[in-house]
Amino acid sequence: MNKIESILDQNKKLSKNIEFVYDIQGSDGEYSDIPETISPKLKEALQNRGISKLYSHQAEAWRLSQEKKHFAVVTPTASGKTLTYNIPVLVEIMKDKSSKAMYIFPTKALSQDQMNELHELVELLEEDIKVFTFDGDTPADARKAIRKQGNIIVTNPDMLHQGIMPHHTKWMQFFQNLKYVVIDEMHIYRGVFGSHLTNVLRRLKRICKFYRSDPQFIFCSATIANPQRHAEKLLEDKVYLIDKSGAPVSPKKIIFYNPPVINYDLGIRASYIGEAKKVTHHLIKNGIQTIVFALSRLNVEVLTKYLKDYFENDRESMAELEKIAGYRGGYLPKRRREIEKGVREGTIKGIISTNALELGIDIGSLDAAVLAGYPGTIASTWQQIGRAGRRGKTAIGIFIASSSPIDQFLIKNPQYFLGGSPEHARINPDNLMILIDHIKCSSFELPFEEGEKFGNVEWEDLEEMLKFLTEGGILHKSGNRYFWSEDVYPAGAVNLRQIPKGNFVVVNTDKDNKIIAEVDYSAAAMTIYPEAIYMESGQQYIVDELDWEGRKAYVRKTDSDYFTDSIDYTNAKVLSEDEKRKSRHEDVFMGEVQVVTRVVGYKKIKFYTNENTGYGKINLPDLEMVTSAYWFTIPQHIIETLPYSKADCVDGIMGISKAMHYVAAMILMSDSYDIHNSVGDKSFEWFAMNKITERGIYTPELPGKPSVKINPEDLTNFQPTIFIYDNYPGGIGFSPLLFDSHEQLVENTKKLIETCPCENGCPSCVGPASEVGMNSKQIALDILKMLVSKAITKEEKKHLDGSKYYLN
């Protein structure tokens, strides 16, 4: 057993928390000779890089490329996917110097990283092949030369959408000769982002058709459950699948680590962030370069501070301070490049990241990957574990479970993870909000003609939308064509990744108002409210002022001994009931809801001890969206049958909702962040979701812990309703699946709560008893047992002891 494999065994305090160990044996690759049809110069360049044979999947990709077929390569991290598209693209350009290719990566960082690798190969070829990045950082004076001279343009979906296609007449030569379009990290294009990308590709193919080109599309992806179907839905055309990897597999040791229980009565475990800190410190102290993946930006900053504190006070083993670095969205590009370089060169021994480094950015050779909490999907878990041992070295991946139900389920059932299918990537490109936006963008680029389709949108549906836009004065019809008629530029108002509200910048008033970071609109109310502690690279800043309209937060350095965490509540209103059916006892619905999230306050949490040291109020605008939802109402007779007050029943139902959210994510095989849950009362016009409406069941009180208030009048006709809604404006297609899977969802939620070893509730099932009530677990189980029992009529119920009948 080598040093890396035995490292945790050396620390008994840590090793006793290991629940499961799984060894992945290394394996030799499956190789193929470099085909004779590949040019001798490229063969020589590959051999100069130590490549004398191709992996079998690379050879298969070459075959499909020469047959002019669209294909998707779905193989593990570090399996050489880059050559599956670089070889055919370079061969084509060497044959015909007028040929063009476009590489699309989801982030600018990944684009820059792949550019460096491509440049190295081109230099070895000693051919006049021009490779350029074209993104928001490209200088204006360089753009004309890139359009005219570039053989390979490396960009991202946002720049294609806003900076290239609206100006396609300037790119005429490029589009006329476009032979290949490469879309890397295909698994990222899911939900809203993926739905937008399909529409971007619809527009791209329209422009290519106008210039009489028909490019071949190549997709690359990490493992997902439906790669071929997903690629075909993105492209709306036949795509061939390559999913058998010929690359050798490095040996790995996968460790499942469960923080120890520190309160057996309440089922409370030690903080998983604290345990991640201990494990990572132990690894780095023993010379093991480690990457830590945290679930949120706040967790990244807290862990970065903790580890910097450790090693800044340990000068004997770590003389320089920049041995630990955080990495997340919001850092400025220059800072991110510095960190990537430090990890590659080995000067940074520990890097703490959000999923920003889950993608294929080259950060070199790492020995260990620590996952501080389940990242939400099996696919992401394997991607993150795969960041260690990328250069053929033995490595370890350590999954540290949080107290969430899904983490605890996985830690107790590791075979579900190890043998489980990865998640499905789901998109809904015909979401009306998204579709209308791209029809406007496409109309700006080229007029629509009568009888034309837009991707898979038939003319009859397209015509209705074009007429709607014409009536609004956005388009005008001349002859058989619809033309753009407004002065504004539509693509500039369409954000591919989120609601187009605009990002906030964080301004350091200590340094002449220097911008130190950016914050997404959706995260601003929860991270940069007045008096918040904002953290960047482990340094604390206090927010003095938030200019909501100006999208600026003014901060200054502070040395506080606490960080802040926002408290937010969600309210929803049913806009339409599109489908309804009867289950055993309850009515099940699917439809459209309006969701309002309000950030009402924040907690001050002390570093290291996690003590709550105070509260503060927040008064900022609500975040609103309309989306699709699945919901069901628990019948009145079940509530009346239970030997509990209606107020206690509310606690039990809140516990069911919490557990059901995680079970739903597992049934959908989706990220738990893709959906959200709420509890309300169907007897109200506005559902009193999660503690915020005036007539609501729950009302927060600040300062101090939010308390529960029950209005007896409101409980007279109490109709408790559990909602699970798509966490994307307009919905993305999850609700119909849950509507159809309702019975399985109820059964599995019951099993999850039943099998949890706690007595009265804990974070791994219905929530801590101290927060949700001492009887919440039992009440939740009693309700669920009733829901899964056979249905009886109201007349039968009169002659039965309901409690005994249902619960036994």
Side-chain angles (χ1 to χ4, degrees):
M1 184 180 288
N2 65 29
K3 177 182 177 181
I4 291 178
E5 291 179 286
S6 62
I7 192 67
L8 285 191
D9 294 335
Q10 300 169 14
N11 188 315
K12 291 184 179 179
K13 287 184 179 179
L14 299 178
S15 62
K16 69 181 181 181
N17 299 320
I18 295 174
E19 296 262 352
F20 179 80
V21 178
Y22 179 74
D23 288 305
I24 298 176
Q25 301 300 318
S27 63
D28 296 329
E30 186 177 328
Y31 298 91
S32 177
D33 290 331
I34 298 176
E36 293 297 323
T37 47
I38 292 178
S39 69
K41 286 189 78 172
L42 184 53
K43 280 186 187 178
E44 185 181 347
L46 292 172
Q47 287 167 351
N48 287 337
R49 296 186 64 190
I51 301 170
S52 57
K53 288 180 178 289
L54 297 182
Y55 299 141
S56 58
H57 63 275
Q58 294 170 337
E60 176 67 4
W62 169 254
R63 182 184 68 79
L64 288 174
S65 73
Q66 298 312 288
E67 294 175 4
K68 303 303 178 188
K69 292 174 179 175
H70 309 304
F71 63 88
V73 182
V74 184
T75 54
T77 307
S79 58
K81 287 192 285 284
T82 305
L83 281 183
T84 64
Y85 52 82
N86 275 344
I87 289 175
V89 167
L90 291 172
V91 168
E92 182 65 35
I93 295 172
M94 289 167 69
K95 284 194 302 186
D96 179 1
K97 286 297 196 302
S98 67
S99 296
K100 311 290 184 181
M102 179 182 290
Y103 288 11
I104 302 172
F105 296 97
T107 65
K108 286 192 289 187
L110 194 53
S111 298
Q112 293 286 349
D113 186 70
Q114 293 296 321
M115 265 281 294
N116 296 333
E117 184 172 341
L118 187 53
H119 270 304
E120 288 176 14
L121 193 52
V122 170
E123 284 177 13
L124 289 171
L125 282 173
E126 297 181 345
E127 288 274 343
D128 185 24
I129 298 173
K130 300 289 197 305
V131 183
F132 299 108
T133 54
F134 194 86
D135 57 31
D137 297 332
T138 304
D141 57 356
R143 295 188 178 194
K144 184 176 180 181
I146 290 172
R147 288 194 295 265
K148 298 293 183 185
Q149 300 173 22
N151 293 108
I152 302 173
I153 301 297
V154 182
T155 189
N156 54 65
D158 313 87
M159 197 63 183
L160 176 61
H161 155 62
Q162 294 183 334
I164 296 177
M165 293 194 298
H167 312 291
H168 62 85
T169 53
K170 297 179 180 179
W171 292 80
M172 180 173 65
Q173 183 184 344
F174 182 85
F175 282 118
Q176 285 174 336
N177 295 282
L178 184 59
K179 301 294 177 63
Y180 285 99
V181 177
V182 175
I183 299 173
D184 201 4
E185 307 289 355
M186 176 184 74
H187 60 286
I188 294 298
Y189 300 110
R190 50 192 292 191
V192 169
F193 196 18
S195 302
H196 275 295
L197 184 71
T198 294
N199 283 285
V200 168
L201 296 182
R202 286 169 171 173
R203 290 160 52 199
L204 175 61
K205 289 190 291 181
R206 246 187 119 224
I207 290 170
C208 289
K209 184 178 179 182
F210 178 77
Y211 289 108
R212 294 181 173 84
S213 64
D214 186 19
Q216 185 177 352
F217 285 79
I218 300 173
F219 296 88
C220 290
S221 176
T223 304
I224 53 176
N226 58 336
Q228 186 171 17
R229 181 181 174 86
H230 185 50
E232 291 179 341
K233 195 154 187 179
L234 287 170
L235 187 61
E236 297 180 315
D237 203 346
K238 173 67 179 174
V239 177
Y240 291 82
L241 178 65
I242 301 171
D243 60 354
K244 184 181 178 184
S245 174
V249 176
S250 299
K252 274 194 179 68
K253 184 178 286 291
I254 310 296
I255 296 171
F256 279 44
Y257 181 104
N258 207 11
V261 175
I262 55 176
N263 187 320
Y264 284 91
D265 293 334
L266 299 178
I268 305 283
R269 292 185 177 274
S271 162
Y272 73 103
I273 295 296
E275 295 302 301
K277 171 191 66 179
K278 293 175 187 175
V279 169
T280 306
H281 177 255
H282 180 68
L283 293 171
I284 296 171
K285 283 281 286 185
N286 283 275
I288 295 175
Q289 192 180 20
T290 303
I291 183 168
V292 183
F293 286 99
L295 299 180
S296 69
R297 295 179 178 188
L298 177 60
N299 286 350
V300 166
E301 295 297 347
V302 170
L303 272 170
T304 301
K305 173 181 167 49
Y306 288 165
L307 290 168
K308 277 182 176 289
D309 286 351
Y310 266 131
F311 292 115
E312 286 176 13
N313 295 326
D314 190 3
R315 299 292 185 91
E316 289 183 4
S317 61
M318 300 242 174
E320 299 178 21
L321 298 184
E322 185 68 352
K323 297 293 184 181
I324 305 296
Y327 189 102
R328 61 173 176 78
Y331 284 13
L332 298 178
K334 182 181 177 183
R335 174 61 180 152
R336 290 201 298 269
R337 300 297 88 77
E338 289 172 353
I339 295 167
E340 291 161 17
K341 182 181 178 184
V343 178
R344 276 196 303 272
E345 295 178 351
T347 58
I348 292 177
K349 301 301 181 184
I351 182 166
I352 302 91
S353 175
T354 57
N355 60 2
L357 280 178
E358 181 182 307
L359 304 180
I361 296 169
D362 183 14
I363 50 173
S365 177
L366 292 161
D367 303 313
V370 176
L371 279 59
Y374 181 56
T377 68
I378 292 172
S380 288
T381 304
W382 284 116
Q383 279 283 99
Q384 292 181 7
I385 288 173
R387 293 318 308 252
R390 290 172 60 89
R391 302 291 171 85
K393 295 171 61 177
T394 300
I396 56 174
I398 305 172
F399 164 48
I400 300 179
S402 74
S403 294
S404 79
I406 197 166
D407 284 42
Q408 289 302 309
F409 177 87
L410 289 170
I411 211 83
K412 295 182 181 74
N413 301 275
Q415 292 306 324
Y416 175 87
F417 166 73
L418 295 169
S421 167
E423 293 72 21
H424 291 75
R426 302 188 191 279
I427 59 174
N428 180 15
D430 297 331
N431 173 302
L432 192 58
M433 291 171 62
I434 294 172
L435 184 57
I436 286 286
D437 277 342
H438 286 280
I439 287 172
K440 289 195 288 187
C441 294
S442 200
S443 299
F444 176 88
E445 292 152 7
L446 291 167
F448 278 101
E449 292 188 9
E450 285 185 355
E452 186 177 348
K453 291 172 64 176
F454 185 60
N456 285 347
V457 180
E458 297 292 340
W459 169 247
E460 290 76 14
D461 297 322
L462 178 59
E463 183 183 28
E464 189 178 333
M465 287 178 266
L466 293 173
K467 285 181 177 178
F468 168 76
L469 294 173
T470 302
E471 289 167 5
I474 295 170
L475 305 181
H476 76 272
K477 189 178 182 184
S478 177
N480 66 344
R481 291 182 173 188
Y482 290 84
F483 292 84
W484 183 257
S485 64
E486 288 202 332
D487 295 331
V488 296
Y489 156 61
V494 179
N495 189 311
L496 302 186
R497 301 170 192 255
Q498 60 187 23
I499 302 168
K501 297 284 188 178
N503 286 352
F504 287 70
V505 293
V506 180
V507 178
N508 183 1
T509 56
D510 287 338
K511 289 199 171 182
D512 299 323
N513 289 344
K514 180 182 177 182
I515 295 173
I516 59 171
E518 284 186 84
V519 177
D520 295 340
Y521 174 86
S522 59
M526 302 174 192
T527 55
I528 51 173
Y529 43 86
E531 300 301 318
I533 298 298
Y534 180 79
M535 299 180 68
E536 198 268 344
S537 296
Q539 172 63 53
Q540 300 110 277
Y541 297 84
I542 188 165
V543 179
D544 289 321
E545 180 188 352
L546 176 60
D547 178 1
W548 188 265
E549 296 300 324
R551 302 289 191 259
K552 291 180 181 178
Y554 296 94
V555 305
R556 56 185 164 82
K557 278 189 178 182
T558 185
D559 192 24
S560 64
D561 62 352
Y562 67 90
F563 59 95
T564 53
D565 194 13
S566 62
I567 304 167
D568 60 275
Y569 300 128
T570 301
N571 187 354
K573 176 184 180 181
V574 171
L575 300 178
S576 66
E577 292 179 358
D578 299 334
E579 298 228 19
K580 176 182 177 180
R581 68 180 176 89
K582 186 77 175 176
S583 187
R584 299 180 184 94
H585 302 273
E586 65 277 18
D587 290 327
V588 184
F589 302 87
M590 184 182 72
E592 194 172 58
V593 297
Q594 183 181 39
V595 177
V596 180
T597 299
R598 180 177 301 165
V599 184
V600 296
Y602 63 90
K603 297 176 285 186
K604 296 179 179 179
I605 302 172
K606 200 161 188 178
F607 285 119
Y608 296 104
T609 65
N610 286 334
E611 294 174 77
N612 284 2
T613 61
Y615 290 82
K617 290 185 178 181
I618 299 174
N619 184 21
L620 292 173
D622 294 339
L623 305 175
E624 300 183 12
M625 73 172 171
V626 174
T627 187
S628 59
Y630 136 86
W631 66 92
F632 66 96
T633 300
I634 297 170
Q636 190 76 18
H637 71 264
I638 286 184
I639 301 298
E640 291 172 351
T641 299
L642 291 167
Y644 309 108
S645 70
K646 287 183 178 178
D648 286 340
C649 287
V650 171
D651 291 336
I653 292 162
M654 293 293 290
I656 292 172
S657 176
K658 173 183 166 67
M660 190 169 278
H661 175 195
Y662 291 100
V663 173
M666 295 179 73
I667 287 176
L668 291 170
M669 302 200 77
S670 75
D671 193 317
S672 60
Y673 301 108
D674 289 338
I675 54 176
H676 263 295
N677 63 298
S678 286
V679 174
D681 185 345
K682 194 171 184 296
S683 64
F684 296 160
E685 179 187 356
W686 272 86
F687 290 85
M689 304 298 171
N690 292 12
K691 315 176 183 177
I692 78 167
T693 61
E694 291 181 4
R695 289 193 69 207
I697 300 166
Y698 294 94
T699 305
E701 285 191 347
L702 293 170
K705 181 182 172 181
S707 66
V708 176
K709 291 183 176 181
I710 302 296
N711 185 338
E713 293 180 10
D714 286 339
L715 294 179
T716 304
N717 299 307
F718 185 50
Q719 296 181 54
T721 304
I722 292 176
F723 290 78
I724 299 179
Y725 57 86
D726 292 17
N727 195 26
Y728 298 104
I732 214 63
F734 292 120
S735 298
L737 299 169
L738 292 175
F739 178 78
D740 293 338
S741 305
H742 169 74
E743 287 76 16
Q744 180 190 359
L745 185 56
V746 173
E747 290 271 7
N748 287 3
T749 303
K750 172 176 162 286
K751 287 178 184 175
L752 178 108
I753 298 172
E754 271 181 335
T755 55
C756 185
C758 72
E759 185 175 346
N760 296 313
C762 70
S764 301
C765 57
V766 299
S770 58
E771 292 181 14
V772 297
M774 291 301 293
N775 295 323
S776 293
K777 182 176 182 179
Q778 187 58 52
I779 295 169
L781 277 174
D782 288 352
I783 292 171
L784 290 168
K785 287 176 182 178
M786 288 185 174
L787 291 178
V788 302
S789 69
K790 73 172 188 176
I792 61 170
T793 67
K794 289 185 178 179
E795 289 301 314
E796 288 175 318
K797 177 179 174 295
K798 291 178 182 178
H799 303 289
L800 292 167
D801 178 342
S803 178
K804 289 181 181 178
Y805 176 84
Y806 281 114
L807 301 182
N808 292 323

